[in-house]
Amino acid sequence: MQQPIDLPSHSDEIPSELGGLRLTKQRKVVYGVLLDLRDHPTAQDVFLRAKERMPSISLATVYNCLEALVVHKLVKQVNFDRSPSRYCPNLEEHVHFQDEATGEIHDVIFKKGVKLEDLLDLPQGVEVRELELTLKGLMPSSNQ
Amino acid sequence: MQQPIDLPSHSDEIPSELGGLRLTKQRKVVYGVLLDLRDHPTAQDVFLRAKERMPSISLATVYNCLEALVVHKLVKQVNFDRSPSRYCPNLEEHVHFQDEATGEIHDVIFKKGVKLEDLLDLPQGVEVRELELTLKGLMPSSNQ
DNA sequence: GAAGGAATTGGAATGATTCCAAGTCCACTC
DNA sequence: GAGTGGACTTGGAATCATTCCAATTCCTTC
Ligand SMILES: [Mn+2]
Ligand SMILES: [Mn+2]
Ligand SMILES: [Zn+2]
Ligand SMILES: [Zn+2]
């Protein structure tokens, strides 16, 4: 059960790939789920939502699709401690804040012009390839 | 098999507690393992090293001790993605850098005077309770 | 030195994720 | 427009770090 794009292949209006990723029906459903409600769902959450759109989809496929989307950098995998991974389609550089009152995860962006070197005492010459910053705390409103 | 401190209880020179944590033989062994080689070992690593000092210690106890040390803030639990947690006895505020060439994890401290608010566009009034920052990349020396 | 509560222990259970082998599907070729 | 090959999907089993549990062992206190 694999179907890359539902358009005539001679069309060049809609890509059958996205960032080098072949867009199968299942991958489109999974990606669509993430784009439609950007609440940082777990794989299980995505699975339940995807099933509404494609009842035949399997959990294994959801994991496969999420993995493919992450590898191709269309989606970020977000980890808070060792709880189930969450998935985020926001491609802007950003970090994650979890409201301890509601459990909700919010995107937070860096201020303009901030550089890592200004922040951290990194050893001379290190090349930072990946950065993950997670925050927990309370939002003003959730503060009763 | 639980033994808080090996000193007469009337002595007040060495605490039988540390940060409110009862120091049993096992907890001292586990904490000692972390202090002696600060290479951010996993629970499994700690277990193997602890067994050299106390062959009877169990993995469950190592997990229990690490948990207790973390709750009492004598040790930080460090997570890189979903790999096994690592443990760090460095109480200074710091973040973690993993050298992708060697796998080694290094402590990195913030520059003096850096404030989160200077860095991030946090919504007005949020109270940040926890911050975890992990980096991956290459050290200059490991660069060939 | 008995009692009670906390800590330790071995082993079973958990649960997110990964693995696997079988079945599908599709893009391409002839 | 059938045939092929390779990628993708799927259900179920396996993995494995971590947690749970019930029994036992240890202090600490009375
Ligand atoms: Mn964390
Ligand atoms: Mn990470
Ligand atoms: Zn996000
Ligand atoms: Zn550290």
Side-chain angles (χ1 to χ4, degrees), chain B residues 1-4 22 43 59-60 63 83-85 87:
Chain B
M1 294 186 186
Q2 160 257 150
Q3 316 86 337
R22 300 172 63 98
L59 180 58
Y63 272 104
S83 57
S85 288
Y87 297 87

Side-chain angles (χ1 to χ4, degrees), chain A residues 26-71:
Chain A
Q26 288 83 353
R27 286 173 181 171
K28 278 199 270 187
V29 166
V30 167
Y31 193 38
V33 162
L34 292 177
L35 291 175
D36 284 358
L37 184 54
R38 295 154 173 261
D39 63 348
H40 302 88
T42 63
Q44 190 63 224
D45 295 332
V46 173
F47 175 50
L48 293 177
R49 296 176 196 176
K51 265 204 299 198
E52 292 173 8
R53 306 179 184 195
M54 181 186 279
S56 64
I57 200 170
S58 73
L59 179 58
T61 295
V62 169
Y63 272 104
N64 288 339
C65 292
L66 290 171
E67 158 83 2
L69 290 165
V70 168
V71 165

Side-chain angles (χ1 to χ4, degrees), chain A:
Chain A
M1 293 183 186
Q2 160 260 148
Q3 315 84 339
I5 209 75
D6 48 3
L7 287 182
S9 61
H10 50 69
S11 164
D12 56 357
E13 299 184 337
I14 296 186
S16 67
E17 306 196 343
L18 193 46
L21 178 71
R22 301 171 59 113
L23 281 186
T24 64
K25 271 184 192 161
Q26 288 83 353
R27 286 173 181 171
K28 278 199 270 187
V29 166
V30 167
Y31 193 38
V33 162
L34 292 177
L35 291 175
D36 284 358
L37 184 54
R38 295 154 173 261
D39 63 348
H40 302 88
T42 63
Q44 190 63 224
D45 295 332
V46 173
F47 175 50
L48 293 177
R49 296 176 196 176
K51 265 204 299 198
E52 292 173 8
R53 306 179 184 195
M54 181 186 279
S56 64
I57 200 170
S58 73
L59 179 58
T61 295
V62 169
Y63 272 104
N64 288 339
C65 292
L66 290 171
E67 158 83 2
L69 290 165
V70 168
V71 165
H72 289 265
K73 309 220 190 245
L74 295 175
V75 167
K76 265 193 187 179
Q77 185 171 1
V78 179
N79 296 301
F80 276 85
D81 303 311
R82 296 194 54 78
S83 57
S85 287
R86 296 169 173 278
Y87 296 87
C88 170
N90 181 351
L91 292 183
E92 250 188 285
E93 181 169 46
H94 68 284
V95 307
H96 292 100
F97 173 87
Q98 183 168 42
D99 184 337
E100 292 179 317
T102 66
E104 282 172 18
I105 293 173
H106 302 273
D107 288 345
V108 174
I109 62 176
F110 287 102
K111 290 204 169 174
K112 305 251 175 192
V114 170
K115 296 229 170 122
L116 257 198
E117 303 75 44
D118 302 335
L119 217 200
L120 299 171
D121 252 328
L122 288 165
Q124 194 76 39
V126 287
E127 179 192 347
V128 174
R129 291 268 184 82
E130 283 181 57
L131 176 159
E132 180 159 29
L133 173 56
T134 55
L135 307 167
K136 290 185 195 177
L138 294 174
M139 300 284 284
S141 54
S142 69
N143 199 23
Q144 210 278 310

